[in-house]
Each structure stands twice: as structure tokens, then as C-alpha cells.
Amino acid sequence: MNRSANRKQARCLVFLVVGALLLGCFPPSVKAADSQMTTLDISRGNIVIAADSISGYAPSGEAVTQPDAAGYHIVQSSYGTTAHTILIKKGADTHILADSLHIQMDYNNYGALSPLFIEPGASLQLTLKGENAFYGPAYNAGIGVPQDTDGTMAELTIDGDGSATCYSAKRGAGIGGGQRCGYTEAAGKIVINSGTITAIGGQDGNGYGGGIGNAEIPDNAPNDCVIVINGGSVTANAVQASSGIGGGRSSRACKADVTINGGVVSAQGAGDHGIRANSIEINGGNVIALDGVSDDNWQSFSTPPRNSDGEQVKIASVKLGPIDYGASCQLQSGSFTSTVISSSYGRVNALIPPSESTVHITTAKQNVYRVDWSALSPSTQISYRPYAFPVLTIVPDSGQSFFYGDPAAPTYKLYSDSSVVADDLVTLDGALRYDAEHLSPLPSQASILPGSIRRVAGDYCIEFDSSVTCRIEKRKIAVSAADLTTHYLQYSRYQLPFVFHLEAGSLLAGDTLEDAFSFSAKDLDYFPPVGRYENTQFSFYSDYYDVELAGPGPALTVLENSSLLQVGETLRFGTDAAGAPIEWVVSRVDENGAYLYSKWVYDDLPYDQISAQRYSYLQTAFPSLDACDFVSGGELVDSRYIDAYAPSIKEDYRATASDQTPKAYWLFSPPDDIHTDGPYYVDTNGSIRQATDSAFTAGVRLSLKIDTNSHTVPGITLSDLLAAPATYGDIGPGDAVGQVTDNAVLTGHHTTSFSLTDGEGATSLFSLDQNGTIYAEQRLAAGSYRLTVQAVDDTGYVSRQETAFTVKKKEIAITPASDLTIQVGDSAPALPYTYSEADLLPGDVFTGELAVGGDLSEPRQYPITLGSLSAGDNYRLLLNGPAYLTVREKTSPPDGPDTDTPDDTPAPPDEHSGGQPETGAPTGDTSTNGSIRAALVLAAAGAALLLSQKRRQKS
């Protein structure tokens, strides 16, 4: 061996050893949305996150000032939109779980920042949950990710399984730069890993901003913005004179570098390219770039895309048949394979390796499309339905009819042109179905859909005739009703609370009688007078059920009406945000209602909230009251009305807190004018004062009005299993989830029966025994649940109360096998993994498999990802530590046997790629140990290589 070769081998060994040490000493970390995050409520006020501080509000209204390294779970308790903003300050590196936020800025507030704004020098991991919206003002982005004049960038990484819709009003990007953000108009670094993203720049028509990227004039920015898309469904559109991705006015500098490795990406320019950048790198995914003028070119790039090797990418634009819209597609071109998702319109831009020309696309329906790129002229030409085999058309039989909810598999015939095809030419699996999600009130026609049908054998492709419909009839049921006793003027004939029972027919799963139909009593006055009415008949109304009364109708008894509330009574119902019950004193009763005030004074309310935010504060601090149907008008009355409704307590304004000590509380208005707003309060001596100090706080004494017909108020106390958010598997069949109590039993009266529903009407998940205990009937899946208790007292009055709880997803740590090594050119091995057997509940199974990020074409480490591995919707899988598949240079075998040379050929991987439960608890930091082991393997491999070369030189 010559000296040059020696030096090369030495350098190789050094690189291997150094790389091994770096790998072993600095294992990468992965952030994940943590259930232990601090929860902030954007409805309460602006949120500012700095490197060592936080300013925001908890859902209770309490100020939050303690930073949380785990990040922040941001919720929105108010309905509709909020104009409060989220600001990430320079130097911060934080994580936000955005949970169904809808932030909309005033269009005319030109100086306003973005709803979510990240300063240059700050980094944010944004995890999406539910549907989120960030609507920016004029001149700024929906999500601001700017770049400073010195090149310092804001950094944003988006993941999660939720969605985000991001608009700028004008001269700003949907996500990225803004013209009046205080920095350059260029964007910083934006990485999208998952989620459904819709980003539109310049939504009002005065565009000049990209969907994702720069605002109008990024010329003075020193660096190109960086946009990386690794997955998800991304739609990025411009409205005027700008590109969908990249951004910037079409006549200005092109200041972007774009890399796309996966996902479904649709970028549409307006008078500009779909994607405009100085460099465009595409390594995977389905990337559709439109110029916005027409759909004739799906490859509207400002510069030819290249792959990670610098080679110009070949792209075949293919329009699939309607049966394959939005479908998973397997691409194969030579030895290159990849999986993409076609767009909702069946568009696929298929990547082809530089050395190949032909690509085959196989869809989930097993249709095969074939395109020869070399035959396209021009190369951007769209190939419409280029089937690889003859086409057969599935035509549903006409005139079919089904009852709502019945299992239905519409029949069909196969046609080739106009001829019926014999069944033995092709084998299909699965069944057609009708569209039950878009039914008009029945009876009506419904579209027939391809459903699960697919080709399993025969060299044909299939299309589907979607013009044929079927008729859906109402589902027939018969019901009976129990006798009912009410009070005069308590209910109109349209509101009488008859309880029905199913006598014939069946309800669709998930439906209940309460939700299946509405009704009114026939042949009665609007308010039936006092008396007894036999054989009550009904008119039934339902979009989906044909309802008839079985047998004779029930008896209706209407009694005289009188209030049963007594002045001075103490009632106990409702809870505050902490779950503590509220005690009330009846202060007055008249023909209009009963007037109550809380026995205690609750929670301090800051001076600066008594005008603009007190109603929101009261309704949030006492959520159970806001939902009470017995409160007059459905609203919580604020404390000013104590003067009008409770004159008996005017002589004693002195208030007592829950700890029975004197406490000041807000009155909100002077006693002589209850309609005048003001910072009035009652001090601990009972004197009325006007607050002048902006730092002043006082408690809140509640007052409300109850309908005089109200007799009882049911309550629900959740069990200890739900004291903290439950996790999937915590609640199983027979577990008690709550207790129904008679929270307000009035003099001489009591509740005679309770009934239970949930918010959607389905009652099969829970049962209520005669003692008022609510039990789960089955293991509760992850999700949100709402329970509604209906109480009937001995006078026949019906009242209701609600509660809600959430069951979180169960987390499972997945540990991939370590030290997996192959050589360049070898096929990807199976990827075994382990997990804790106790984490996977009986009956649940894993599906899918781990994956490797990359094409394994060059020697390096490739990260192992969760890929398609799933345990179902009730689980959240977490990858335990970094894991890699190492690809090494392919080595030639030695000239002859050498017993001293270690065999460094990797053992063949285990063919079983599924997970194995862990048999013992791991010791130490398993992720670090795995990295160290990988480091030692690399070092040993390098030493062996050098030793082998030296021995050859000697021989």
C-alpha cells in the first residue's frame, strides 16, 4: 500500500472514531407534546413567552408567571374568535400545543402583530390539535416567522395531527414574513413535519405575499428564507403577484430555499410560479405547483428542482381516475419505490430517478398507471388516466332502495365499453356503499360510492360510474309514552316532557329516542288548562325515522302552579371552576321568580377586569351555572342586581368569605342606580366604596334568578377516577364514573327519578342505577364525554344538569432495536422494536411497521421513525430515544482466508419486524447506551478496515 492510501485509511479511521464518539456522547433528543404542560387560556389575555419568563392566564383566570420547560398547552374557552395574541420573544426555545384556537386580528389595525409571532432568535415547536385558525391583520402574517437585518431567523417547526388555517390580510405571508413586522419582509426558517396546513398570503386581494415564505419585498434580507416540508397536507396559495411557496412579489428578489421530502403539497401562485426559490430540492412526496393561470402545468417552478444529490429531478404529472382521488399510491421506477398520497382531485407528480424514464403508479384500489417520461412533449405534459391495463367500469344497478341505517351493499355490473363483462375476467374484493354523511331529509336519493371495493386479480383497471343513485327510506319505529303530570303554564303543548319507549323497530347505533324525533301534542291548547287528558295523541317530526304511536296515548295531568321556594332557605347546587359546590340563600320570591345570592364571596376579581371582562370571568369561574337551564334567561346575573332582587339584605352588606372571615366584594354599581357601571365595592365593614386604585381587588358575590316553576336541581359529582384527566384503560366495565345527587331539595319535595343521556344521545356507554351511581358499560375510548342528568321530582317538574370529562390517549414508548447495520445496496432490513407489555391493553394490537427516513443510497446513519406503526386511535406512540440504521460502504471479501481478520459482515436481520414486549426493566439511560454501542461498533469497524489493509500490504 502506498503512502497516499495509508493516509486515506488513517483519515477514514479518524472520521469513524470521531463520528462514533460524537454519536455516543451527544444522542439527539426529541420533543413531544406533554400532558404535564402548563395550560394557558388565550381567551383571558395575551400570552408572551420569553427565555426565562412567561406572561399569560390559566383557565381559572389566575395569572401565570412561572416558566415551564415542558411547554404550554394553549386553549380557548370563549366561543368564536379572540384578538389576543401569542408572542415568542428572542432567545426563547419553547413548545406550544395549540388546541382549537381561533385568533383573528382587526383588518384595519395596521400596526398589529401576527396572531402568533416568533421574534428572530426564537424557536418554536408548534403541535396542532383540533382545528386552529390564525388570521393576521393587514401588512403582517397569519403566523409571523421573520428574519432580522443581520440574518438572524425566527424558527418554526409544525407537527401534530390537527390543522391550521393561516391568512394574512395583505402584504404578508400566510406563514412567514410581514411588511410591518418590525424586521425585514423575509421569512426565517419554517419546517412542517405533519398536520393539515392551509396558508394564504394577501387574502383580501391586495396580495403581494406568499402562502408560505416571504412578504412583498424581501430584498434587504441578507439570507434566503428556509422552508422544509417533511410531511402533512400542505396547501399554500398566493392571491396577487406572488408564489404559493417562497413568496415575495414576483418582480422582486427571489429569497428562498425550499426542500420537500414528503407529504401532499399544493402550491399555487398568482401571476407567479407555484414555487419560487433560489433552490428547490424535492426528495419525496406529491408536490403540485400551479401558476394560478391554468391547470395545464403542474410543475410551475422558478428553477428546475433537484434531489439531495444535486441531480435534476424528473417529474411525471399524472391525473388519476376519480376512484383513486385522495388515495395512497405506490410509485415504482426501476429499483426506486416510494409511497405518496394523490391530491383530492387525483393529481400526482411522480418522481423518477435520473437513470429511469418509466414510472408505475399502483393505487389502493390496485389500479396501475404507467407513464414513459421520455415520450412526453413537453416533459410537463399531464398524462390523463394512463392506465397500464384495459379498463372496466363498475356501474351500480339502478332503482335500488334501502332503509336508513340498514347494512347496504349496492349491487353492480362490470362493463367494458357497452358490453357486460363476464365475472371470471377480473376478481374484485370489498363492497360499494351509499353516502350516509350527506343525506337530505328522507326519503331522498343518495350517491353510491366505491366503498372498499378493489381489484385483487386480473390484468384490468377499474373505474366507477358515480352518476347512479339509490333511494334511502325513513327507518320505521313504533313508540309508547308514559303518563305525565305537570303544572299549569310550565310547558306548552310543544314542550311537554313525555318519556317515550321503543316498542317496535330499532334505532341506528348512536341514536336515542330523545334525538331521533321531536313531537307535539295534538288537540290541546297552547298551555293546557288544569285537568286530566286521556289518550294524548302526537304529531312526530323526524328527518330519518317514520314514527308512529303504539296503542293508546298516555294520560296528561295538569296541576295548579305555585312556587315552593321559601325565603331564607339554603340551597346547594352548581360548582366553581375548582369543582367546589356553591351554597345559595333565597332572599325573595315573587310572581316572576326566586332571587338567590351566594352564601360566600368567591375569588378576587382584579380592578382592571371589572368593566370589560367581568362577565367572561364569572362565566368561566362558575361554568356549571352558565349551563343551567333553570337560571332565568340562561344567563348568570352579576352582583349589581343584589340591590334590586334582594332588598332584604340591603341592611347588611357585610360579606363573608368561604373561610368565614369578612371580605370585600364588588357591587359594580351604586345602590341608587343599578344600571350604572362602576368600580363599586362593599368593604369588610359593609360600607359601599368606589375603587380608585388600579391594584385593588375584591371578591365576587353571585346573584341569580330561578324560574318559579323550578323545584329540584340535579347534580353530578365525578368519581375519583376522573379527579385528574383519566387515561385510556383507567375506566372499564363496571367502574363508577360519577354520582348523581339531589343538590337542591326544596321543602317537602324530593326527586323521584333520574335519567341519563350523553351529549350525542347514545346511552350504551353508561348506565345509572337506582342509587344514582353512573357506571361505565365498557372500556372508555380516548375522547371527550358529556353526561346529562334529567331529574323528575314528585310534582312532575323536570330539570337537567350537565358535566363533562376527557379520557386521554395512552402513551406507549417504542424502543427500536439498536446496532442495525447494512451495506450500500442491501435491502432495508426488518426493524424490530420492544415495548412494555403492560402498556398495550388486552384486545388491542399493533399494525404497520417502523420506517427509515431516506433511500439508503449512501453510507451514513438514517433515522428510524414510527412510520406506519400504530396501536389505534386510543394510543399515542413515542419513539424512545434516537435510533438509526447504519449504512456502510460495500466491502470486497479478502483474497484468501484470514482467521485473524474479524468478520464484520452484519448478521441477517430478524425476519419478524413486529414489536416484542420488554421482559425486564431497562437499566440506565437506554438511549444513551444504544448510542454508545453504535459508537463502539463504528470504531471497531474502522480499526478492522485499517488492519485488513495493512495485512494485505505485508502479504
Side-chain angles (χ1 to χ4, degrees), residues 69 244 305 345 388 495 600 693 914:
Y345 298 101
Q495 300 169 326
W600 309 122
D693 184 351

Side-chain angles (χ1 to χ4, degrees), residues 833-847:
Y833 56 90
T834 59
Y835 61 93
S836 174
E837 187 173 9
D839 287 341
L840 190 67
L841 299 186
D844 294 340
V845 297
F846 283 103
T847 60

Side-chain angles (χ1 to χ4, degrees), residues 330-399:
Q330 185 75 21
L331 307 184
Q332 182 171 2
S333 181
S335 61
F336 171 76
T337 61
S338 68
T339 301
V340 302
I341 306 294
S342 68
S343 76
S344 58
Y345 298 101
R347 295 168 171 168
V348 174
N349 267 356
L351 299 182
I352 302 174
S355 60
E356 302 291 340
S357 291
T358 303
V359 62
H360 289 80
I361 303 173
T362 304
T363 69
K365 297 294 185 184
Q366 294 303 299
N367 276 339
V368 181
Y369 301 82
R370 179 185 181 278
V371 178
D372 183 354
W373 183 85
S374 64
L376 300 176
S377 180
S379 61
T380 58
Q381 173 187 338
I382 301 170
S383 299
Y384 289 90
R385 305 188 192 182
Y387 293 112
F389 302 118
V391 177
L392 303 178
T393 301
I394 299 172
V395 181
D397 296 327
S398 61

